[in-house]
Amino acid sequence: QLLVKSYRSFDDKQWPRRPSQANITSMRILLVEDDSSLAEGLKAALIREGYVVNHVNNGRMALAAVAAEEPDMMVLDLGLPDIDGLEVLSTLRDKGVRTPVLVLTARGELDDKIIGLDRGADDYLSKPFDMKELAARLRAIERRLSTAASSVIRIGEVELDVAAHAISVAGESVDMPRREYMLLKTLMESSGQVLTREALEARLYSWGEEVSSNALEVHIHHLRKKLPD
Ligand code: CA
């Protein structure tokens, strides 16, 4: 029932093979930022950190994107051209969306920071900021998420530890490149459901990311070799 095609996987080589290594992520980030050069830089940097990043440049599109599929985390600029970022945040929280949100504010907008935190932001950064700082803040949010989530999914002999990003089959640990890990996690979280190719693509790839036509088949093929029948 794996309706799948496959993808370019150049960055799998950089994916840490050992679960103990730092900077492992399989998170999807929605980046809401109207400054296009800043957004491009952030997106490239976050993709290098291993995140799947989707970018929108206004509040309306942010709300639509979250309604279509909730991201794992959001980076939200407050000064947006249509709906104010704080308004976007309030709307999401009113709808019960609990996705962690890191708010970006212009320098000196202290009131905005306070209001943002009051309205359910998880953290904030003032512009200009260092990309390393943003990456560290996101990792901190991610660690809080992992400890909050039930951390082990078990199906038959296959066990996936979400917090440790570790896979074992019949008690033996199995090394897995990043996309394979994300694919397996998605399949295990959706056990019993049929996933469309589009749904898998949305989990594994950023919007606009170049994907070769046979990459998903390749990942599935590799997964099958590592897993029991
Ligand atoms: Ca802005």
Side-chain angles (χ1 to χ4, degrees), residues 26-27 98 142-155 159-166 181 185 188-190:
S26 60
M27 293 274 153
R98 295 173 61 196
E142 195 177 341
R143 278 195 297 276
R144 293 200 290 274
L145 276 181
S146 322
T147 31
S150 70
S151 71
V152 176
I153 311 170
R154 192 176 291 107
I155 296 176
E159 205 170 277
L160 186 149
D161 185 328
V162 178
H165 296 86
Y181 171 85
K185 178 165 173 269
M188 288 180 79
E189 284 171 343
S190 321

Side-chain angles (χ1 to χ4, degrees), residues 5 7 11 28 51-52 178-184 186 198-206 209 211 216 219:
K5 74 179 185 188
Y7 307 85
D11 58 341
R28 289 169 54 256
Y51 295 104
V52 171
R178 185 171 69 95
R179 301 274 198 213
E180 275 177 50
Y181 171 85
M182 290 170 71
L183 178 59
L184 181 62
T186 304
E198 288 73 23
L200 283 174
E201 283 178 3
R203 290 297 307 183
L204 266 62
Y205 297 93
S206 306
E209 188 168 352
V211 162
L216 198 51
H219 293 319

Side-chain angles (χ1 to χ4, degrees), residues 24-53:
I24 301 181
T25 184
S26 60
M27 293 274 153
R28 289 169 54 256
I29 293 184
L30 180 65
L31 170 63
V32 188
E33 170 61 66
D34 60 312
D35 177 332
S36 56
S37 59
L38 176 59
E40 283 311 305
L42 283 178
K43 182 173 175 179
L46 291 171
I47 287 174
R48 278 198 301 277
E49 292 284 322
Y51 295 104
V52 171
V53 184

Side-chain angles (χ1 to χ4, degrees), residues 49-62:
E49 292 284 322
Y51 295 104
V52 171
V53 184
N54 295 325
H55 167 236
V56 294
N57 58 15
N58 64 51
R60 217 172 298 277
M61 285 171 71

Side-chain angles (χ1 to χ4, degrees), residues 5-198:
K5 74 179 185 188
S6 219
Y7 307 85
R8 185 169 78 165
S9 54
F10 68 95
D11 58 341
D12 283 356
K13 292 182 188 67
Q14 293 145 27
W15 175 245
R17 290 268 170 174
R18 297 286 165 198
S20 56
Q21 283 185 269
N23 300 341
I24 301 181
T25 184
S26 60
M27 293 274 153
R28 289 169 54 256
I29 293 184
L30 180 65
L31 170 63
V32 188
E33 170 61 66
D34 60 312
D35 177 332
S36 56
S37 59
L38 176 59
E40 283 311 305
L42 283 178
K43 182 173 175 179
L46 291 171
I47 287 174
R48 278 198 301 277
E49 292 284 322
Y51 295 104
V52 171
V53 184
N54 295 325
H55 167 236
V56 294
N57 58 15
N58 64 51
R60 217 172 298 277
M61 285 171 71
L63 293 173
V66 175
E69 193 182 10
E70 274 185 39
D72 297 311
M73 295 194 269
M74 275 176 79
V75 175
L76 174 66
D77 178 36
L78 292 188
L80 296 171
D82 55 348
I83 312 172
D84 183 78
L86 287 172
E87 186 90 28
V88 171
L89 181 57
S90 301
T91 305
L92 291 174
R93 294 302 185 234
D94 287 349
K95 287 181 178 167
V97 174
R98 295 173 61 196
T99 305
V101 174
L102 188 150
V103 155
L104 302 179
T105 66
R107 195 206 304 260
E109 290 174 345
L110 181 62
D111 289 349
D112 279 354
K113 290 172 197 165
I114 293 164
I115 297 168
L117 293 170
D118 281 348
R119 294 200 189 173
D122 295 78
D123 203 352
Y124 65 84
L125 266 181
S126 298
K127 296 177 184 177
F129 53 84
D130 191 322
M131 186 54 219
K132 285 182 189 146
E133 171 92 43
L134 176 61
R137 301 285 187 97
L138 291 175
R139 283 197 297 273
I141 291 176
E142 195 177 341
R143 278 195 297 276
R144 293 200 290 274
L145 276 181
S146 322
T147 31
S150 70
S151 71
V152 176
I153 311 170
R154 192 176 291 107
I155 296 176
E157 291 183 311
V158 182
E159 205 170 277
L160 186 149
D161 185 328
V162 178
H165 296 86
I167 315 275
S168 67
V169 176
E172 297 280 321
S173 97
V174 175
D175 285 342
M176 216 167 261
R178 185 171 69 95
R179 301 274 198 213
E180 275 177 50
Y181 171 85
M182 290 170 71
L183 178 59
L184 181 62
K185 178 165 173 269
T186 304
L187 293 172
M188 288 180 79
E189 284 171 343
S190 321
S191 176
Q193 302 166 34
V194 175
L195 286 174
T196 63
R197 174 180 303 227
E198 288 73 23

